[in-house]
Amino acid sequence: MMKCTAILALAGSAAAFAPAQQAARMSTAMDATAAQKDFFGLKENVDFSKELGVQAPLGLWDPLGLLKESEDYESFNDLREKEIKHGRVAMLAVVGYLTTAAGIRFPGAEDIPAGMASWGALLETKDGMNVLYQMGAFFVAAEIANREAPWTGVTAEFPGDYRNGKLDFGWDKFSDETKMKKRAIELNNGRAAMMGIWGLVIHEMMGVSILPGGLLPGQ
């Protein structure tokens, strides 16, 4: 009887300490994982759903899954900078497309058609080729100038901030709330412009006008 009691007591003692040992092993495993992340420089998962530009109705819209491999803000900021850059170019493209479609030209370019037909017309004359050379030089200069310049000692405040301590136009006087609002406006306008310029070009190539009065550039 005494032997049975002793065996049961030992079994109870072992059962009582088993969870503690298991928890200790789990804690050690968790600590090892944290240590591995620190030692090997593994990236932490980041929640991008709270970032600027994530809004209704699409929310965090990533149809190509680009952010699945971007587990840090460095990769995210790189993609965001590309989005802003393409949006800015698209906004200029929409303005240029609609301006020439309205018949506005620089002196000497009155005979250059609007729309996609302008490229072929520029290639046909020496003056047109000069215009293309000037455009190319502008693109190169803009690409060089529109980037963060760390050698100036100024750090960009956000992706797409190319002021580099020179161009400000009162930005530093805005509140944080106003800055976020204006950045969101630029981001959304850029997104709309990227869709807009493709819509204009595709409809022109289809021969279908979407401009007032049935105007179809290049025709």
Side-chain angles (χ1 to χ4, degrees):
M1 183 67 179
M2 291 295 294
K3 291 181 179 181
C4 291
T5 303
I7 292 172
L8 291 174
L10 290 172
S13 300
F17 283 101
Q21 292 173 347
Q22 187 177 18
R25 287 195 297 270
M26 291 176 62
S27 177
T28 302
M30 292 175 65
D31 291 340
T33 301
Q36 289 172 352
K37 288 184 177 180
D38 180 65
F39 181 80
F40 292 107
L42 300 179
K43 300 176 181 178
E44 297 285 348
N45 292 329
V46 181
D47 182 14
F48 299 113
S49 63
K50 306 297 183 183
E51 289 299 313
L52 179 72
V54 179
Q55 57 195 46
L58 297 178
L60 181 59
W61 195 60
D62 182 27
L64 299 180
L66 298 178
L67 291 180
K68 291 182 180 179
E69 303 298 329
S70 302
E71 298 179 347
D72 60 1
Y73 277 105
E74 182 178 356
S75 300
F76 175 83
N77 288 340
D78 180 63
L79 293 172
R80 171 51 54 82
E81 185 173 14
K82 289 181 172 63
E83 179 185 20
I84 292 175
K85 179 179 179 179
H86 283 82
R88 290 170 177 172
V89 172
M91 285 188 279
L92 290 173
V94 170
V95 172
Y97 190 98
L98 296 179
T99 299
T100 54
I104 300 175
R105 299 287 189 279
F106 285 113
E110 292 83 358
D111 295 332
I112 302 298
M116 300 301 293
S118 61
W119 295 104
L122 289 173
L123 290 171
E124 292 176 356
T125 65
K126 183 177 180 180
D127 290 339
M129 291 296 297
N130 289 333
V131 171
L132 292 177
Y133 292 145
Q134 292 174 23
M135 290 175 59
F138 171 77
F139 292 154
V140 172
E143 183 67 22
I144 295 173
N146 289 289
R147 63 180 63 244
E148 184 179 3
W151 57 86
T152 63
V154 179
T155 303
E157 185 178 334
F158 51 86
D161 176 19
Y162 302 140
R163 293 172 296 156
N164 294 318
K166 303 298 182 182
L167 299 175
D168 186 78
F169 301 111
W171 177 262
D172 290 332
K173 297 179 181 179
F174 294 143
S175 64
D176 291 340
E177 182 180 359
T178 301
K179 288 181 178 180
M180 292 296 290
K181 181 179 179 180
K182 289 186 176 296
R183 287 178 59 196
I185 291 173
E186 181 193 25
L187 192 60
N188 287 326
N189 286 342
R191 290 170 174 174
M194 285 188 279
M195 299 299 294
I197 190 61
W198 274 116
L200 290 168
V201 170
I202 290 174
H203 279 80
E204 178 187 337
M205 297 176 67
M206 294 172 58
V208 179
S209 174
I210 57 174
L211 297 178
L215 178 64
L216 188 60
Q219 304 297 322

